[in-house]
Every structure is written in C-alpha cells, then in structure tokens.
Amino acid sequence: MNRPDPELIRNIGIMAHIDAGKTTVTERILFYTGRVHRMGDVDYGTATMDWMPQERERGITITSAATTCHWRGFQINIIDTPGHVDFTVEVERSLRILDGAVAVFCAVGGVEPQSETVWRQADRYSIPRLAFVNKLDRSGADFDRVLSMMRERLGANPLPVMLPIGNSTTFSGIVSVLEGRALVFQQDDQGGSIIRSEIPSDMIQAYEKAREDVWSAAAEMDDGALERYLSGTLEEPEVRSLIRRGTLEGRFTPVLCGAALKNIGVQPLLDAIVDWLPSPVDLPPVEGTIPGDGPGTRERTDEDPFTALVFKIQSDDHLGRLAYMRVYSGFAADGDTVLNNRTGKRERLARLVRMHADKRTHLEEIAAGDIAAVGLRNAATGDTLTDMDNPFSLESMKFPEPVIQMAIEPESTRDEKALEQALSDLSGEDPTLQVRPDEDTGQILIRGMGELHLEVVVDRLRREHRLSVKTGKPQVSYREGISRPAEAESVFEREIGGKRHFGHVKLSIVPSESGVEFEIPDFSPAVPEPFIEAVKAGVTGSTGGGPLAGFPVDGVIVRILSIRLHETDSSELGYSSAAATAIRSALQSASPILREPVMKLDILSPSDYVGDVIGDLGSRRGRVTSMDPGAESTALSARVPLAELFGYTTALRSLTQGRAGYSMQLLEYAEVPPAAAQALMTRMGISCRQ
C-alpha cells in the first residue's frame, strides 16, 4: 500500500449550531472534490452525510459521519458533526481526535448557543480552526455583526480574508482580500466555474481596510516580516504562509464567507483548509501514559509504535460492531493483532475500512494520520489500541451526565431479552445513553441528554431492532443535596461468619456545587490503605440514593475526620459499613434538599411576540437573563428548570405563529423551591424518607 504523506493529510471537523448549514457545506465540499457527482439536499433528505432515516426525516444531523475526499493533492478526512445540543457528545468525541476544524456561522443568527458550545470544546483541545460565515443570501444577513459576536461571545480574534459582495438579495459573490479580486461563482454549472474580476468600486474602501488588517496581522508573526511590511515589500505568498502560522498558533481565526446552498464560496474554503489547517506532523507528539513508567509521548509518524484511539462505536449491518479510530503513530495491516490497553487483552483488526457516511471501502493498511473503522468485539469509546510489545494509554474521554429519563418496556414479555441486548448495543455506541433498572417498579429506565435524544433512541429500537416497545413520559433526573454542614460518626462491631469485624469512622459533609468529593487527610502509616479505600467505598455506595426521595446525592464534599483502629478486629467490611452508616446519618442531619437541572434557554423570536414569550417563561419558573433586540427579531436568554420545558417546542410555536426558535443546554443543578419539591414528591407518590 502506498501510504499518503502525512504532510498532505488534513483531519478536520465541520461544526456549528443547528441549521447553520454545516451539512450543506460538507455536501458542496464532496461535490467540488469529486467525491460525489450530485449535490444532496438536507431539506429533501438526500444529503450524503445525513444517512440515518431519523436524520433525513428531521433534517438534522444526529450522529457524526466520516468521509474522505481529495483537493489539490491533499487528502481531507472530514467528520460532519451534529449541531443539536442533545447530541453534543458526537462533537466532543470528534474534536478529541481531529487536528483542525471549520466553524460554520449563520450570517443571520451569528454566534448561536451551540456555536458557542462547540467553540469552547475546540478551545479545550486547542484545535486550530477557520470560520465560514454562511447564508449571506438570507434576509437579515450581517457579516460584520457575526465578526463582532465572535469577538464578544467567543473571545476570538477573527481575521476576514474574504468579504461579501452585497447582502441578502443583493449577495452575488465574494472579494478575496489576498488576491485583490472579486470572485463570482457561475450558477449555470453549479458554482464550479469562478470568474475573477475587478473589485466593485463601492467596496474598494472596505477591501483596502481588510487588506491592511490581514497584512498587519501576518507581519506580527515574524520580526523580518514586520520590517518588510513597514517598508511596503511584504508579498502575498509570504502573507499566506504567515496566516498559516498564526492559525496553527491560535493567534487569529481566518474568516471566509459565502452561501453554500447557492454554491458560493466553498472552493476558497477548501483552499484555506489545505493551506492553513494543520497536518498531523504540524502538531506536537501525542501525550499519554506508559504502564509502569508514567507519562510518555509518541511521535506522529510511521516510525513510532502503532497507537490509535477508538472514538466511536457503531453497529453495522454487514460488519457488526464497528469501531472508528484515529491512528496517531505507527501502522497496522488488516488482520493484525493489537493490544487494548484498557482491558489488557488482544484485539484483532478485522476488516479495516474507510468510511464514506454509511458506505465502506476496504483498506489493506492504516498508518499515522489515518481515520478509519474496524470490526472489534470488545473495544469501547476512549480505548487505546497499541502495538502488543509497546503498551501506551492515551487520555480517555469524559462525557456529560444525562439530565432526563424515561421508562421503557417491551409490549411482549418474549422480547425482554432482545430489548436488553438492543439497549446494550445502543448504550455501547452512545456514552451519554445510560440504561438501568428501576428498583421500585422493575422497569427499565433509559437516561439521556434531552427529549429528542430519547425519542431517537426509541425510534431506532423500533426500526433497526424491530422491537415493539411502550414508553412512559420523560422525567427529569433529579439529585439530592444538602443545605448546611453536618457531622456524624459510626461504630460497626459485629461477628459475621465466625469472625469479628470492627470499624469506627467520623466524617463531616459540606455543600458544594456538584459531584461527591472526598477530603481525606494523610492517615498513613497508622491506617492501612485498604481501610481508607473501604471507607470511600462505603460512602460511595450510600450516596446513590439520598434521604429525601432516593435520588442520587450531588453537591457534597465528604471530609473524613478520623478512622479508629481495633487491636485485632479491624476489617474492610467494618470500615465500609461504619462509613455507610455515618454518611446516611450526616445527610439526614444536613437539611437535605432536592436539586434539579436548570437549562440555559436561548430564544430567537420576532419582536412582536417577545412579551408573550417572556410571560410564558415566567409561568415556567423561568428568569430572563439577557435580551438583545434586533431590527426584526429579539434574542432572549433565560434560565428555566428542565421540568418546566416538556412540550415547550409546541408552546413556543403556538405563541409566535411558528416563527420563533430556541435551543437549550444544561446550565447547573439548583435547589428545587420547597413548595415545588413537596408537590413533586406527592405527585410521584414518594413519602419523605427523613
């Protein structure tokens, strides 16, 4: 196999808020690179990358899809990611393994909520990125407003290298600041031909200012370039090179523009991808852990031992359990045996394939820089695969906790096993889907990131697994916290199986923002480590259900104050039992409270209906936190308990004659007001457990 030169590989993601047009941008990229010969359309359910029936029916991206295309001799591996907040895990695990990204912004909506979320995710992984301002042909499009929002909301440093010619109905092309020419995309051949002409006279001033900004930003990257800039001898080829350097270092974000649906501006975006986004060799060595030796690194070349990260699991009708992986170093052939560093077991790379949405092309070999898929039996998202003789573990992935749950059961008892297996398969694919039994009713509970998330899961059970299921109404995943500090101690002394067991633990608890954290002083060498671990296990085992209504405990710091030993009877069972009793007693004494997920709600509504929208939010225990009035519409942000948002889509459409839209994301867990908490427990038939 002829391995591609790593310098000619670009591993990128397309990311954006829902409806910003990222799938349409991807579709045009595939068309102009010759990967497809007919443009698909999201609205008609024909987009190549939206291959799932659920995606085509809803006109949204639900799962990240991978493909590969070529432009100017470069291999571009693309992952098209969802924009809906319910599926943000797909963005998270994609960005974890990508080298660069294209952030697509709607010229009307600007920096929308999910745009901000994915931008922060890219910041976390230090991913160089480009920005593409799309939909400039839409009414209300404002290129300069998008740039301003990037600065204010994202803290970005946008550098426009393209300018739009006209706006909305007058939008006709773009000005290339680097070329100093106007680019008009011929529609008679679907934008494939580009006519370069003089810049319109009414844009000369805007062009000259943009050119000055680009040359100045580029010159600041190098002292020698700065001298040439000041002397007026800094030329375009060097500016292009300096823009690449500034992009890779995160000094600025090149901004391009167009209207993908009208076939305008996509080819310059492709040029920018290969010119300014990084190849694998542009990035530092990948960091990880060598078992037994501690931290280590792997160079991103074929010469270092094979190292790959599994970032996605997907069920395939033909290949079974398919694992998507990013190869960071080394190479491996189809059929080779590798080490799964999480399980410590061998895995055979069976049926290596390169994916094009849901289609596959067989590969004989994979090497550093590749993104591919392979049939693996036991791998999970976040696993590291390495050469058998050179174990190495990359940092795994962390995913948000679900905020909503639903009861589900088969219509026929003979399908119980099939439902359990299907849910196991789906939760193996999706780390934010959790499945557990309800201890009180025996029903199966599925937990996810939102109503749409669970709706898609149920739809997949019915279509892909051909199961008839019944579901309950979605319910909020509540937590229990405390409102004040408390202290407790417990002594466990008992004879079990002819052996005496002793444990004495004293602890205190104080409120915190989230999670259950431990503060344990250094008891060594007086207290053996197994006894300390037993105390932690006892606390952890008793915080799965709180004293009020049995919801998981959240927002507590547990401080272990003392652990007293017995001369002969101290045991792990004794200390875990004593700790469990002590934490339960402390929780009951700390004025326990219910905590609920509170969502950040972002609404874009026609200004005429804003009063009705705000009034409705108030009836839902919501509070408006900001308003941004526009010429025709107003952007609202509010904090609203998730429990009050079921069916909100229908309500908002009714209030605004279908003209408003919204998105939401988890903001925090906050205390449920006492009256609402009591009403909740009464409604659920739960008596207080205090």
Side-chain angles (χ1 to χ4, degrees):
M1 174 182 173
N2 293 323
R3 297 177 199 155
D5 183 346
E7 293 188 2
L8 301 180
I9 293 176
R10 300 291 182 268
N11 290 316
I12 68 162
I14 312 290
M15 61 185 197
H17 185 87
I18 189 171
D19 286 338
K22 64 193 171 305
T23 299
T24 302
V25 170
T26 307
E27 200 72 22
R28 276 25 180 201
I29 287 176
L30 296 178
F31 179 78
Y32 294 126
T33 58
R35 190 67 178 82
V36 299
H37 301 290
R38 181 179 178 182
M39 294 182 188
D41 192 305
V42 173
D43 293 334
Y44 291 97
T46 57
T48 303
M49 304 303 281
D50 286 348
W51 58 272
M52 293 176 65
Q54 294 83 359
E55 294 175 315
R56 292 182 169 177
E57 290 172 359
R58 293 168 174 80
I60 62 172
T61 302
I62 291 173
T63 184
S64 54
T67 189
T68 298
C69 57
H70 294 82
W71 183 256
R72 286 172 32 197
F74 288 78
Q75 176 179 308
I76 306 175
N77 299 322
I78 301 174
I79 295 183
D80 179 34
T81 63
H84 195 287
V85 68
D86 281 16
F87 309 105
T88 190
V89 63
E90 295 285 341
V91 185
E92 181 76 25
R93 59 183 173 187
S94 298
L95 290 176
R96 170 69 173 80
I97 56 91
L98 292 171
D99 301 331
V102 175
V104 179
F105 297 97
C106 172
V108 180
V111 177
E112 297 170 281
Q114 189 65 4
S115 303
E116 189 171 349
T117 299
V118 297
W119 190 273
R120 302 298 179 209
Q121 288 172 307
D123 280 343
R124 189 158 61 249
Y125 295 116
S126 301
I127 293 179
R129 69 213 79 155
L130 308 173
F132 182 76
V133 180
N134 192 30
K135 299 190 176 184
L136 281 160
D137 58 319
R138 293 272 302 275
S139 176
D142 190 332
F143 182 71
D144 291 334
R145 176 172 172 268
V146 178
L147 299 178
S148 177
M149 293 176 77
M150 288 180 66
R151 296 185 189 97
E152 294 171 4
R153 295 192 179 183
L154 305 178
N157 182 18
L159 182 67
V161 295
M162 299 282 174
L163 300 176
I165 301 174
N167 259 337
S168 63
T169 57
T170 64
F171 178 64
S172 59
I174 57 180
V175 169
S176 169
V177 176
L178 288 163
E179 292 184 44
R181 305 285 284 174
L183 310 182
V184 178
F185 298 78
Q186 294 297 96
Q187 295 305 307
D188 54 4
D189 68 344
Q190 299 181 296
S193 299
I194 304 174
I195 296 177
R196 286 169 165 78
S197 59
E198 296 296 323
I199 298 172
S201 57
D202 61 347
M203 289 196 64
I204 294 295
Q205 186 174 354
Y207 158 71
E208 289 178 345
K209 180 184 183 305
R211 185 183 189 280
E212 180 67 21
D213 290 343
V214 170
W215 256 249
S216 174
E220 291 179 3
M221 299 302 303
D222 181 84
D223 291 340
L226 182 59
E227 292 180 9
R228 288 186 288 280
Y229 166 68
L230 295 173
S231 65
T233 59
L234 184 59
E235 300 295 331
E236 178 198 339
E238 186 176 4
V239 171
R240 288 184 181 274
S241 176
L242 292 168
I243 289 176
R244 174 179 177 77
R245 179 175 163 186
T247 304
L248 299 190
E249 293 181 8
R251 300 277 288 275
F252 46 71
T253 302
V255 181
L256 299 92
C257 61
L261 192 62
K262 295 294 180 63
N263 310 319
I264 298 175
V266 176
Q267 296 95 321
L269 175 61
L270 277 164
D271 289 332
I273 288 170
V274 301
D275 287 343
W276 296 329
L277 289 182
S279 71
V281 296
D282 289 318
L283 301 173
V286 62
E287 298 180 352
T289 303
I290 302 172
D293 291 339
T297 61
R298 290 275 166 91
E299 296 290 339
R300 299 172 187 251
T301 66
D302 292 352
E303 284 72 34
D304 264 27
F306 178 75
T307 307
L309 182 72
V310 175
F311 67 94
K312 178 182 172 72
I313 299 294
Q314 179 179 303
S315 296
D316 185 275
D317 291 340
H318 302 284
L319 300 180
R321 201 164 185 271
L322 203 59
Y324 286 68
M325 61 182 175
R326 161 68 193 270
V327 183
Y328 286 99
S329 64
F331 62 91
D334 189 14
D336 279 359
T337 299
V338 297
L339 174 68
N340 184 325
N341 285 261
R342 175 181 61 87
T343 64
K345 296 181 179 179
R346 297 167 176 260
E347 291 267 14
R348 183 172 176 270
L349 300 179
R351 302 178 299 279
L352 282 173
V353 293
R354 193 181 304 287
M355 300 300 295
H356 174 55
D358 60 334
K359 298 178 175 60
R360 302 160 299 278
T361 303
H362 178 259
L363 294 174
E364 296 178 359
E365 186 180 71
I366 48 174
D370 270 336
I371 293 176
V374 62
L376 292 178
R377 290 184 178 180
N378 302 310
T381 299
D383 284 357
T384 304
L385 306 177
T386 60
D387 178 82
M388 290 296 302
D389 298 324
N390 294 276
F392 186 81
S393 292
L394 299 167
E395 182 182 356
S396 192
M397 304 182 194
K398 297 178 181 178
F399 302 108
E401 282 291 311
V403 297
I404 190 171
Q405 67 183 20
M406 173 193 291
I408 187 169
E409 62 183 27
E411 290 192 352
S412 171
T413 55
R414 66 174 180 269
D415 289 334
E416 288 180 355
K417 292 294 184 183
L419 178 59
E420 289 179 10
Q421 183 58 51
L423 288 173
S424 176
D425 292 343
L426 291 176
S427 60
E429 294 181 22
D430 182 355
T432 59
L433 174 65
Q434 296 182 3
V435 182
R436 66 178 179 85
D438 187 312
E439 294 180 0
D440 296 327
T441 66
Q443 290 178 303
I444 298 175
L445 298 178
I446 55 174
R447 305 177 63 210
M449 302 306 296
E451 282 185 277
L452 180 59
H453 186 195
L454 297 186
E455 179 187 319
V456 169
V457 169
V458 172
D459 192 51
R460 292 187 65 188
L461 287 171
R462 289 171 174 157
R463 292 194 193 200
E464 297 173 23
H465 298 273
R466 297 176 177 84
L467 289 169
S468 296
V469 295
K470 296 184 292 185
T471 60
K473 291 183 179 180
Q475 297 179 344
V476 173
S477 292
Y478 290 94
R479 302 282 190 270
E480 293 189 29
I482 57 175
S483 57
R484 63 182 181 85
E487 191 174 294
E489 66 179 309
S490 175
V491 179
F492 182 88
E493 288 183 285
R494 190 172 302 171
E495 183 175 317
I496 301 175
K499 181 181 178 182
R500 297 285 301 175
H501 294 272
F502 174 87
H504 183 182
V505 176
K506 184 177 182 180
L507 54 78
S508 68
I509 54 176
V510 295
S512 70
E513 290 187 4
S514 64
V516 177
E517 303 174 32
F518 286 92
E519 290 184 0
I520 303 176
D522 185 5
F523 290 112
S524 62
V527 180
E529 185 64 27
F531 293 164
I532 297 174
E533 291 301 316
V535 169
K536 292 176 64 176
V539 170
T540 302
S542 293
T543 52
L548 277 181
F551 295 116
V553 174
D554 179 66
V556 174
I557 297 175
V558 181
R559 294 170 176 159
I560 308 301
L561 303 179
S562 66
I563 299 175
R564 187 164 65 86
L565 300 178
H566 190 278
E567 291 182 0
T568 58
D569 298 342
S570 292
S571 70
E572 294 179 33
L573 174 62
Y575 289 106
S576 64
S577 301
T581 302
I583 189 66
R584 286 195 293 267
S585 176
L587 288 170
Q588 289 175 340
S589 303
S591 298
I593 56 173
L594 278 183
R595 290 161 61 89
E596 64 182 345
V598 176
M599 313 304 286
K600 179 177 183 287
L601 199 65
D602 292 280
I603 306 168
L604 187 64
S605 169
S607 300
D608 294 345
Y609 302 102
V610 167
D612 293 334
V613 172
I614 292 176
D616 181 69
L617 291 173
S619 71
R620 298 172 183 272
R621 294 195 284 133
R623 177 167 57 84
V624 175
T625 55
S626 69
M627 290 180 61
D628 182 12
E632 299 178 356
S633 60
T634 297
L636 300 171
S637 287
R639 61 187 312 277
V640 189
L642 176 61
E644 306 293 340
L645 289 173
F646 293 118
Y648 187 66
T649 299
T650 302
L652 184 63
R653 286 173 180 166
S654 176
L655 286 170
T656 63
Q657 296 185 5
R659 296 171 59 193
Y662 79 98
S663 65
M664 65 179 179
Q665 57 187 308
L666 179 64
L667 180 65
E668 62 182 353
Y669 268 86
E671 180 180 357
V672 181
Q678 186 59 50
L680 169 68
M681 289 192 289
T682 300
R683 188 167 64 249
M684 297 177 67
I686 299 174
S687 58
C688 183
R689 298 188 182 183
Q690 278 187 286

